[in-house]
Amino acid sequence: MIDHLELKTRQLDAALAFYAIVLEPLGYALKTDGASKGFGDGKSLDFFVGEGEPTRAIHFAFAASNRATVDRVYRRAGEAGLTLDRAPALAPHIHPNYYAGYLRDPDGHLIEFVTHRAE
């Protein structure tokens, strides 16, 4: 549903390091190095980070293919000393197979990794 998303940050190096760690399990890597740094998966280029004033109330979710991938993102973030928010868990109040874990990026944005697949 989303073609691309761009976030602004005051901490570009920290944000790039954060997203490189947590997006790798989803198959994403830094692909462009212009004014905005673009992450893609080889098929699409749809997530960008650039220097600027961050907006506070941003929450977004990256789709994961399964629960093991959500767990892997959260584990890698913890091992890297990134800010963990909520451990991966089912959220049956959303729907029976909604499985998500939450992190905070260097600017405090709530970043969700979610799958809707039954295991």
Side-chain angles (χ1 to χ4, degrees):
M1 297 295 278
I2 297 172
D3 181 72
H4 69 276
L5 173 67
E6 181 174 350
L7 293 180
K8 298 296 184 185
T9 180
R10 287 187 220 109
Q11 306 173 64
L12 187 58
D13 290 340
L16 291 174
F18 173 89
Y19 287 108
I21 290 166
V22 302
L23 293 180
E24 184 275 331
L26 303 181
Y28 276 72
L30 186 63
K31 299 291 185 184
T32 63
D33 191 23
S36 288
K37 315 303 183 194
F39 287 83
D41 63 359
K43 295 176 265 176
S44 61
L45 184 62
D46 48 19
F47 182 69
F48 297 84
V49 181
E51 277 195 280
E53 192 62 30
T55 303
R56 278 283 150 214
I58 293 176
H59 162 217
F60 55 90
F62 289 106
S65 57
N66 54 47
R67 294 178 189 180
T69 302
V70 173
D71 293 340
R72 184 171 171 221
V73 168
Y74 195 83
R75 183 176 58 253
R76 282 184 49 96
E79 291 167 355
L82 303 177
T83 303
L84 306 177
D85 190 279
R86 285 175 268 165
L90 283 169
H93 63 285
I94 297 173
H95 71 69
N97 294 315
Y98 196 99
Y99 186 81
Y102 300 82
L103 311 169
R104 294 284 175 169
D105 77 0
D107 290 301
H109 299 121
L110 182 62
I111 313 301
E112 178 180 354
F113 293 83
V114 63
T115 185
H116 301 275
R117 292 182 55 184
E119 293 292 311

